[in-house]
Amino acid sequence: MRLHRPRHLVPLGAAMAFLLSGCAGEAEKATPGQVTASAKAPKTPEAPKTSAPDRGRPWEPDDALQRAERALDAQDDGSRPERAESGSAYLADGVRRTFRAPGKRWYRLDLTCDTSGVQEVTLTLTRGSTEQAYGIGCGDPEADQFNIPPGAPFTARVDAVRTGTGLVLWRLNTVTREDVDGCDDDIDGCGG
């Protein structure tokens, strides 16, 4: 059996050398920082913006839960809160909780979110006919805090968001009146 050596490789190799030498000449003519049409990188779709600290990794529920818990724990303001309730929900489910708020101690609602594709959610606090809405930045290193005086029940609502993935975590604590920091009543509001 005789091995047949393909002859078309030699002309193809010569043609490639000719083409490459032509590209090299064009690259020399380009001004610094300018990209020639033949050297442009192919376009790839951008990854969705995420609130997770490591934007190179995909959003994972377990990691997000740990980050959100750290944000809730980061509230070291010297007060001695006592946890009354806590919970979490997927962003697609939202949150709607009504709290009775009995007793004499003030209530502090700590809330955070960790998401992919959603930068902010809206928390709406309602007591009776009074309502206040707040933007909550997702992925913040510290949870947002809201003070509510004891007395009548109040509702905390975060509407469901179906355009992204994420978790909402909250804790309802009680604090002494002396440990209330900032606005006394974030439902009535303290503008001014």
Side-chain angles (χ1 to χ4, degrees):
M1 176 186 239
R2 184 175 165 199
L3 291 175
H4 182 66
R5 187 174 195 194
R7 294 178 191 237
H8 66 278
L9 287 180
V10 175
L12 181 60
M16 286 300 289
F18 175 75
L19 287 173
L20 289 175
S21 68
C23 291
E26 285 299 314
E28 290 172 5
K29 291 179 192 174
T31 58
Q34 178 183 2
V35 178
T36 61
S38 62
K40 285 184 182 173
K43 289 188 176 184
T44 56
E46 284 187 36
K49 292 182 181 179
T50 171
S51 63
D54 185 0
R55 299 191 192 298
R57 292 184 180 166
W59 186 87
E60 294 288 335
D62 291 338
D63 296 338
L65 183 62
Q66 289 177 8
R67 284 188 300 268
E69 286 176 346
R70 281 193 301 268
L72 288 171
D73 291 338
Q75 305 299 333
D76 186 13
D77 57 5
S79 65
R80 293 179 308 278
E82 293 179 15
R83 189 177 306 180
E85 293 185 49
S86 64
S88 64
Y90 284 106
L91 197 58
D93 296 332
V95 175
R96 184 175 181 89
R97 294 288 307 227
T98 299
F99 303 100
R100 290 189 12 214
K104 295 183 180 182
R105 289 173 61 98
W106 246 249
Y107 288 84
R108 190 183 77 202
L109 178 67
D110 300 346
L111 190 130
T112 190
C113 50
D114 192 287
T115 64
S116 175
V118 177
Q119 298 298 315
E120 183 179 273
V121 298
T122 301
L123 167 68
T124 304
L125 297 172
T126 308
R127 178 179 261 164
S129 61
T130 305
E131 183 175 277
Q132 287 289 336
Y134 296 94
I136 308 295
C138 294
D140 291 346
E142 292 185 359
D144 289 275
Q145 295 181 331
F146 303 92
N147 297 314
I148 298 109
F154 70 94
T155 300
R157 184 183 81 238
V158 175
D159 291 330
V161 178
R162 300 199 192 318
T163 57
T165 304
L167 294 170
V168 177
L169 267 72
W170 56 268
R171 285 183 188 159
L172 183 66
N173 299 300
T174 61
V175 293
T176 63
R177 175 68 182 97
E178 296 77 33
D179 287 334
V180 173
D181 187 28
C183 182
D184 287 350
D185 188 343
D186 283 311
I187 297 175
D188 278 341
C190 296

